[in-house]
Every structure is written in C-alpha cells, then in structure tokens.
Amino acid sequence: MINIKSPREVELISKSCRIVAESLQYIERFVEQGITLKELERLLAEFIVKKDAIPAFKGYRGYPAAVCISLNDEVVHGIPDERVLKEGDIVSIDIGVKKDGYFGDGAKTYGVGKISAEAERLMKVTESALYKGIDKACDGNRLYDISSTIQQSVESAGFSVVRELTGHGIGQKLHEEPIIPNFGMPGVGPRLKSGMVLAIEPMVNAGKYDVVTLSNGWTVKTKDGSISAHFEHTLVVGKDVAEILTVC
Ligand code: MF3
Ligand code: CO
C-alpha cells in the first residue's frame, strides 16, 4: 500500500524537507580541504537541532551517526570519522530530518577544490538523472517510469546505477512503500497518484554497479574502487508535475 498524504501531512513533511535542504546548503561552505568528516557531521547535527528538528539517521537500525558522509569510492551510509578532506575528493552527504512526527530525506555530492573531469561529469550525470526521474513523478505514470528514466540517462553517459540500494516512500516513517529502484522497465509498477511522497535517490558509480558493504555493517563501497555519486530529493507527486520538497 502506497499511502496518499493529506495536504496537512505534506505540509509537515515539507517542513522537515526544508531543513534538509537548508542543511545541505549550509554545509557547502565547509566542504573544503582540511576539514574532517566528523567535523562536518558535528556542524550538521548542531544546525539541525537549532532548527528544532532531529537528525533522523542517528540510531536508525543502529546507525551510529547523525548523517551519512561517503567519500570517493564510498557509495552511501559512510560513517563520519577523522579522515580529512583533500583537494580532488568527492563527498556525498545524506541527511534525514524528523520534525513533528514527519521525515524529510535528501542528499548531495560535493567536490573538494579542483576535481577530475570524470568526477565532475559523474556528479552532473547523477544529479541530472535525479531530475529526469522526478519529471516522471506525475499522476497516471507508473513507478518504474521513474526508474527506467534514471537508468537510461545514467547508462547512456557510460556510468552505472547501483542495484542493491533504492529510493523509497517517506512520511511518518523514514522508509515507506514503495521501494524505488534506479533501474527497471518503463510502463511497469504501480500507478503514481497525486499526494504520494517519494524520496528518489540515484547512486551512480563511475565503473561497474557492484558494491560491497564494509565490516562496520554500514559503509557501502564500489567493488571495483571507482568513485560514486549520490543525489536525493523528497517530492510529492502532482497532477502534471512533482513538487520537490527538499528545497529552500
Ligand atoms: N537516505 C538513506 C536512505 O534512505 C540513508 C538512510 S540510512 C541510515 O536509506 F541508516 F543511515 F539512516
Ligand atoms: Co533516502
């Protein structure tokens, strides 16, 4: 069952989403060589709490940090530690916020100083695949119209979409139905309806799509050591267009 949110619920979700977007905007100025991943986490946790909200990932299924920070060949669920950013790194920051009982979820990959042309292209392709997917999130389309559009736009650029991790519905829970793969066949899956709230999040590897999970139980890395990017928005399905909620 994919539940349809009332306008009041969408309003509450959008409040959490706005804080996610503000957090992603706020942290950008600190994503510079010399800062540690832990320091980025601390700044974000402080920012979110000041907004009277809760960093939603902390303690979720035992996840140990306030936000996920994934460096270079880490795909998602990286645990912030004492590693220091250096020029040329790419760093994906994934933020979940809970406020008044409703969740918002969003992510963005940042470059540190001057990055390689490949890293630049990977980030552009991933973000643009997200927006092309969002374009399909309207009334009457099928769920995998989103998935197939993302896959096509990524693969036509010569990159690959991670298969083992997906986007998801969101609301009073961080993860609700439906599961939203970033690959699939158009014209398949449940019909989308206005008021469904979705978190769409392509994870794109420069090399092959295979991933491995580290022994810490969380950090997902590319198997071939290639770099990976991740962009995510929470949105509400609309009649003709989706409304992106993770904006500020
Ligand atoms: N945005 C990710 C997701 O939706 C991160 C959540 S994982 C967590 O799965 F455990 F850290 F919360
Ligand atoms: Co998510």
mmCIF file of all heavy atoms in Angstrom, residues 189-221:
data_model
loop_
_atom_site.group_PDB
_atom_site.id
_atom_site.type_symbol
_atom_site.label_atom_id
_atom_site.label_comp_id
_atom_site.label_asym_id
_atom_site.label_seq_id
_atom_site.Cartn_x
_atom_site.Cartn_y
_atom_site.Cartn_z
ATOM 1 N N GLY A 189 4.899 -1.385 -12.849
ATOM 2 C CA GLY A 189 4.818 -0.942 -11.454
ATOM 3 C C GLY A 189 3.505 -0.240 -11.173
ATOM 4 O O GLY A 189 2.712 0.015 -12.079
ATOM 5 N N PRO A 190 3.278 0.080 -9.891
ATOM 6 C CA PRO A 190 2.026 0.731 -9.511
ATOM 7 C C PRO A 190 1.881 2.099 -10.167
ATOM 8 O O PRO A 190 2.868 2.749 -10.493
ATOM 9 C CB PRO A 190 2.157 0.877 -7.988
ATOM 10 C CG PRO A 190 3.572 0.623 -7.647
ATOM 11 C CD PRO A 190 4.175 -0.175 -8.753
ATOM 12 N N ARG A 191 0.616 2.493 -10.347
ATOM 13 C CA ARG A 191 0.366 3.830 -10.892
ATOM 14 C C ARG A 191 0.629 4.895 -9.836
ATOM 15 O O ARG A 191 0.293 4.713 -8.661
ATOM 16 C CB ARG A 191 -1.086 3.953 -11.351
ATOM 17 C CG ARG A 191 -1.242 3.528 -12.782
ATOM 18 C CD ARG A 191 -2.510 4.073 -13.409
ATOM 19 N NE ARG A 191 -2.842 3.270 -14.572
ATOM 20 C CZ ARG A 191 -2.213 3.371 -15.755
ATOM 21 N NH1 ARG A 191 -1.237 4.255 -15.928
ATOM 22 N NH2 ARG A 191 -2.565 2.592 -16.740
ATOM 23 N N LEU A 192 1.241 5.981 -10.255
ATOM 24 C CA LEU A 192 1.514 7.096 -9.342
ATOM 25 C C LEU A 192 0.271 7.958 -9.200
ATOM 26 O O LEU A 192 -0.463 8.154 -10.176
ATOM 27 C CB LEU A 192 2.685 7.925 -9.881
ATOM 28 C CG LEU A 192 3.997 7.149 -10.010
ATOM 29 C CD1 LEU A 192 5.049 7.992 -10.726
ATOM 30 C CD2 LEU A 192 4.504 6.716 -8.636
ATOM 31 N N LYS A 193 0.055 8.440 -7.976
ATOM 32 C CA LYS A 193 -1.126 9.290 -7.717
ATOM 33 C C LYS A 193 -0.695 10.532 -6.953
ATOM 34 O O LYS A 193 0.203 10.471 -6.095
ATOM 35 C CB LYS A 193 -2.132 8.524 -6.857
ATOM 36 C CG LYS A 193 -2.812 7.372 -7.561
ATOM 37 C CD LYS A 193 -4.134 7.056 -6.840
ATOM 38 C CE LYS A 193 -4.837 5.858 -7.446
ATOM 39 N NZ LYS A 193 -4.145 4.593 -7.167
ATOM 40 N N SER A 194 -1.358 11.633 -7.244
ATOM 41 C CA SER A 194 -1.102 12.885 -6.513
ATOM 42 C C SER A 194 -1.181 12.629 -5.010
ATOM 43 O O SER A 194 -2.091 11.932 -4.552
ATOM 44 C CB SER A 194 -2.157 13.938 -6.875
ATOM 45 O OG SER A 194 -2.026 14.293 -8.218
ATOM 46 N N GLY A 195 -0.210 13.167 -4.289
ATOM 47 C CA GLY A 195 -0.206 13.018 -2.834
ATOM 48 C C GLY A 195 0.706 11.908 -2.334
ATOM 49 O O GLY A 195 0.929 11.789 -1.132
ATOM 50 N N MET A 196 1.229 11.103 -3.260
ATOM 51 C CA MET A 196 2.267 10.154 -2.827
ATOM 52 C C MET A 196 3.543 10.948 -2.587
ATOM 53 O O MET A 196 3.880 11.836 -3.377
ATOM 54 C CB MET A 196 2.536 9.105 -3.913
ATOM 55 C CG MET A 196 1.405 8.124 -4.106
ATOM 56 S SD MET A 196 1.812 6.980 -5.453
ATOM 57 C CE MET A 196 0.389 5.885 -5.364
ATOM 58 N N VAL A 197 4.252 10.628 -1.510
ATOM 59 C CA VAL A 197 5.508 11.332 -1.226
ATOM 60 C C VAL A 197 6.661 10.342 -1.354
ATOM 61 O O VAL A 197 6.660 9.277 -0.727
ATOM 62 C CB VAL A 197 5.487 12.003 0.162
ATOM 63 C CG1 VAL A 197 6.822 12.676 0.452
ATOM 64 C CG2 VAL A 197 4.359 13.032 0.229
ATOM 65 N N LEU A 198 7.622 10.698 -2.207
ATOM 66 C CA LEU A 198 8.694 9.779 -2.580
ATOM 67 C C LEU A 198 10.062 10.408 -2.337
ATOM 68 O O LEU A 198 10.238 11.619 -2.527
ATOM 69 C CB LEU A 198 8.594 9.439 -4.082
ATOM 70 C CG LEU A 198 7.225 8.957 -4.612
ATOM 71 C CD1 LEU A 198 7.290 8.788 -6.126
ATOM 72 C CD2 LEU A 198 6.813 7.646 -3.940
ATOM 73 N N ALA A 199 11.023 9.585 -1.935
ATOM 74 C CA ALA A 199 12.429 10.003 -1.895
ATOM 75 C C ALA A 199 13.138 9.244 -3.014
ATOM 76 O O ALA A 199 13.246 8.021 -2.964
ATOM 77 C CB ALA A 199 13.046 9.696 -0.545
ATOM 78 N N ILE A 200 13.547 9.992 -4.026
ATOM 79 C CA ILE A 200 14.217 9.391 -5.186
ATOM 80 C C ILE A 200 15.713 9.657 -5.038
ATOM 81 O O ILE A 200 16.116 10.793 -4.767
ATOM 82 C CB ILE A 200 13.674 9.980 -6.504
ATOM 83 C CG1 ILE A 200 12.152 9.777 -6.577
ATOM 84 C CG2 ILE A 200 14.360 9.347 -7.707
ATOM 85 C CD1 ILE A 200 11.510 10.321 -7.844
ATOM 86 N N GLU A 201 16.524 8.609 -5.171
ATOM 87 C CA GLU A 201 17.946 8.788 -4.855
ATOM 88 C C GLU A 201 18.879 7.907 -5.689
ATOM 89 O O GLU A 201 19.348 6.874 -5.222
ATOM 90 C CB GLU A 201 18.197 8.567 -3.362
ATOM 91 C CG GLU A 201 17.580 7.340 -2.738
ATOM 92 C CD GLU A 201 17.915 7.256 -1.236
ATOM 93 O OE1 GLU A 201 19.053 7.570 -0.862
ATOM 94 O OE2 GLU A 201 17.039 6.856 -0.452
ATOM 95 N N PRO A 202 19.177 8.335 -6.923
ATOM 96 C CA PRO A 202 20.148 7.574 -7.714
ATOM 97 C C PRO A 202 21.543 7.576 -7.080
ATOM 98 O O PRO A 202 22.019 8.612 -6.621
ATOM 99 C CB PRO A 202 20.159 8.297 -9.069
ATOM 100 C CG PRO A 202 19.580 9.644 -8.809
ATOM 101 C CD PRO A 202 18.643 9.484 -7.659
ATOM 102 N N MET A 203 22.132 6.382 -7.040
ATOM 103 C CA MET A 203 23.524 6.208 -6.626
ATOM 104 C C MET A 203 24.248 5.698 -7.856
ATOM 105 O O MET A 203 23.876 4.655 -8.403
ATOM 106 C CB MET A 203 23.599 5.185 -5.483
ATOM 107 C CG MET A 203 23.002 5.708 -4.182
ATOM 108 S SD MET A 203 22.197 4.414 -3.215
ATOM 109 C CE MET A 203 20.512 4.515 -3.833
ATOM 110 N N VAL A 204 25.245 6.449 -8.303
ATOM 111 C CA VAL A 204 25.837 6.179 -9.615
ATOM 112 C C VAL A 204 27.345 5.961 -9.484
ATOM 113 O O VAL A 204 28.051 6.784 -8.902
ATOM 114 C CB VAL A 204 25.537 7.346 -10.586
ATOM 115 C CG1 VAL A 204 26.220 7.126 -11.920
ATOM 116 C CG2 VAL A 204 24.023 7.506 -10.766
ATOM 117 N N ASN A 205 27.805 4.835 -10.023
ATOM 118 C CA ASN A 205 29.232 4.512 -9.993
ATOM 119 C C ASN A 205 29.879 4.843 -11.333
ATOM 120 O O ASN A 205 29.285 4.609 -12.383
ATOM 121 C CB ASN A 205 29.441 3.013 -9.718
ATOM 122 C CG ASN A 205 28.900 2.577 -8.362
ATOM 123 O OD1 ASN A 205 28.546 3.419 -7.531
ATOM 124 N ND2 ASN A 205 28.834 1.270 -8.145
ATOM 125 N N ALA A 206 31.110 5.343 -11.258
ATOM 126 C CA ALA A 206 31.837 5.623 -12.498
ATOM 127 C C ALA A 206 32.198 4.316 -13.208
ATOM 128 O O ALA A 206 32.281 4.272 -14.427
ATOM 129 C CB ALA A 206 33.103 6.426 -12.200
ATOM 130 N N GLY A 207 32.392 3.255 -12.435
ATOM 131 C CA GLY A 207 32.722 1.952 -13.015
ATOM 132 C C GLY A 207 31.524 1.019 -13.004
ATOM 133 O O GLY A 207 30.430 1.403 -13.398
ATOM 134 N N LYS A 208 31.741 -0.193 -12.536
ATOM 135 C CA LYS A 208 30.666 -1.194 -12.522
ATOM 136 C C LYS A 208 29.694 -0.956 -11.373
ATOM 137 O O LYS A 208 30.022 -0.288 -10.397
ATOM 138 C CB LYS A 208 31.284 -2.594 -12.400
ATOM 139 C CG LYS A 208 32.185 -2.982 -13.573
ATOM 140 C CD LYS A 208 32.203 -4.498 -13.762
ATOM 141 C CE LYS A 208 32.925 -4.896 -15.029
ATOM 142 N NZ LYS A 208 34.400 -4.756 -14.875
ATOM 143 N N TYR A 209 28.488 -1.539 -11.480
ATOM 144 C CA TYR A 209 27.474 -1.250 -10.462
ATOM 145 C C TYR A 209 27.624 -2.033 -9.157
ATOM 146 O O TYR A 209 26.992 -1.720 -8.158
ATOM 147 C CB TYR A 209 26.058 -1.401 -11.008
ATOM 148 C CG TYR A 209 25.657 -2.757 -11.519
ATOM 149 C CD1 TYR A 209 25.490 -3.839 -10.662
ATOM 150 C CD2 TYR A 209 25.406 -2.947 -12.880
ATOM 151 C CE1 TYR A 209 25.090 -5.078 -11.143
ATOM 152 C CE2 TYR A 209 25.004 -4.181 -13.376
ATOM 153 C CZ TYR A 209 24.845 -5.240 -12.498
ATOM 154 O OH TYR A 209 24.456 -6.448 -12.965
ATOM 155 N N ASP A 210 28.502 -3.033 -9.154
ATOM 156 C CA ASP A 210 28.622 -3.883 -7.961
ATOM 157 C C ASP A 210 29.137 -3.096 -6.759
ATOM 158 O O ASP A 210 30.018 -2.256 -6.883
ATOM 159 C CB ASP A 210 29.595 -5.025 -8.231
ATOM 160 C CG ASP A 210 29.260 -5.748 -9.513
ATOM 161 O OD1 ASP A 210 29.583 -5.192 -10.597
ATOM 162 O OD2 ASP A 210 28.665 -6.821 -9.435
ATOM 163 N N VAL A 211 28.581 -3.423 -5.592
ATOM 164 C CA VAL A 211 29.007 -2.776 -4.351
ATOM 165 C C VAL A 211 29.320 -3.823 -3.286
ATOM 166 O O VAL A 211 28.890 -4.973 -3.388
ATOM 167 C CB VAL A 211 27.924 -1.809 -3.814
ATOM 168 C CG1 VAL A 211 27.699 -0.645 -4.774
ATOM 169 C CG2 VAL A 211 26.606 -2.534 -3.532
ATOM 170 N N VAL A 212 30.072 -3.409 -2.291
ATOM 171 C CA VAL A 212 30.342 -4.263 -1.127
ATOM 172 C C VAL A 212 30.058 -3.448 0.127
ATOM 173 O O VAL A 212 30.158 -2.223 0.119
ATOM 174 C CB VAL A 212 31.817 -4.757 -1.085
ATOM 175 C CG1 VAL A 212 32.083 -5.745 -2.208
ATOM 176 C CG2 VAL A 212 32.806 -3.604 -1.157
ATOM 177 N N THR A 213 29.679 -4.149 1.203
ATOM 178 C CA THR A 213 29.462 -3.474 2.489
ATOM 179 C C THR A 213 30.636 -3.786 3.403
ATOM 180 O O THR A 213 31.046 -4.947 3.525
ATOM 181 C CB THR A 213 28.140 -3.942 3.131
ATOM 182 O OG1 THR A 213 27.080 -3.706 2.202
ATOM 183 C CG2 THR A 213 27.847 -3.168 4.413
ATOM 184 N N LEU A 214 31.185 -2.767 4.035
ATOM 185 C CA LEU A 214 32.335 -2.955 4.928
ATOM 186 C C LEU A 214 31.930 -3.694 6.202
ATOM 187 O O LEU A 214 30.748 -3.789 6.532
ATOM 188 C CB LEU A 214 32.960 -1.601 5.283
ATOM 189 C CG LEU A 214 33.565 -0.804 4.128
ATOM 190 C CD1 LEU A 214 34.385 0.364 4.674
ATOM 191 C CD2 LEU A 214 34.424 -1.679 3.230
ATOM 192 N N SER A 215 32.949 -4.158 6.927
ATOM 193 C CA SER A 215 32.683 -4.953 8.139
ATOM 194 C C SER A 215 32.066 -4.124 9.259
ATOM 195 O O SER A 215 31.587 -4.672 10.248
ATOM 196 C CB SER A 215 33.976 -5.612 8.629
ATOM 197 O OG SER A 215 34.922 -4.607 8.903
ATOM 198 N N ASN A 216 32.024 -2.777 9.111
ATOM 199 C CA ASN A 216 31.310 -1.977 10.120
ATOM 200 C C ASN A 216 29.793 -2.134 9.963
ATOM 201 O O ASN A 216 29.025 -1.568 10.738
ATOM 202 C CB ASN A 216 31.733 -0.498 10.067
ATOM 203 C CG ASN A 216 31.350 0.185 8.755
ATOM 204 O OD1 ASN A 216 30.488 -0.269 8.018
ATOM 205 N ND2 ASN A 216 32.015 1.294 8.466
ATOM 206 N N GLY A 217 29.382 -2.874 8.943
ATOM 207 C CA GLY A 217 27.963 -3.157 8.743
ATOM 208 C C GLY A 217 27.192 -2.070 8.010
ATOM 209 O O GLY A 217 26.012 -2.238 7.710
ATOM 210 N N TRP A 218 27.842 -0.952 7.722
ATOM 211 C CA TRP A 218 27.151 0.186 7.111
ATOM 212 C C TRP A 218 27.734 0.634 5.782
ATOM 213 O O TRP A 218 27.040 0.668 4.771
ATOM 214 C CB TRP A 218 27.136 1.380 8.090
ATOM 215 C CG TRP A 218 26.106 1.194 9.126
ATOM 216 C CD1 TRP A 218 26.313 0.828 10.432
ATOM 217 C CD2 TRP A 218 24.689 1.278 8.959
ATOM 218 N NE1 TRP A 218 25.110 0.705 11.073
ATOM 219 C CE2 TRP A 218 24.098 0.984 10.192
ATOM 220 C CE3 TRP A 218 23.851 1.593 7.874
ATOM 221 C CZ2 TRP A 218 22.711 0.978 10.379
ATOM 222 C CZ3 TRP A 218 22.481 1.600 8.059
ATOM 223 C CH2 TRP A 218 21.927 1.295 9.297
ATOM 224 N N THR A 219 29.006 1.041 5.802
ATOM 225 C CA THR A 219 29.582 1.708 4.642
ATOM 226 C C THR A 219 29.499 0.830 3.394
ATOM 227 O O THR A 219 30.014 -0.286 3.375
ATOM 228 C CB THR A 219 31.059 2.054 4.903
ATOM 229 O OG1 THR A 219 31.159 2.674 6.185
ATOM 230 C CG2 THR A 219 31.614 2.965 3.820
ATOM 231 N N VAL A 220 28.830 1.369 2.375
ATOM 232 C CA VAL A 220 28.734 0.664 1.090
ATOM 233 C C VAL A 220 29.726 1.305 0.130
ATOM 234 O O VAL A 220 29.728 2.527 -0.046
ATOM 235 C CB VAL A 220 27.296 0.754 0.524
ATOM 236 C CG1 VAL A 220 27.208 0.090 -0.839
ATOM 237 C CG2 VAL A 220 26.300 0.149 1.501
ATOM 238 N N LYS A 221 30.593 0.472 -0.464
ATOM 239 C CA LYS A 221 31.634 0.954 -1.385
ATOM 240 C C LYS A 221 31.456 0.318 -2.751
ATOM 241 O O LYS A 221 30.878 -0.767 -2.856
ATOM 242 C CB LYS A 221 33.008 0.525 -0.880
ATOM 243 C CG LYS A 221 33.629 1.404 0.163
ATOM 244 C CD LYS A 221 35.022 0.877 0.443
ATOM 245 C CE LYS A 221 35.963 1.975 0.851
ATOM 246 N NZ LYS A 221 37.347 1.534 0.932
#
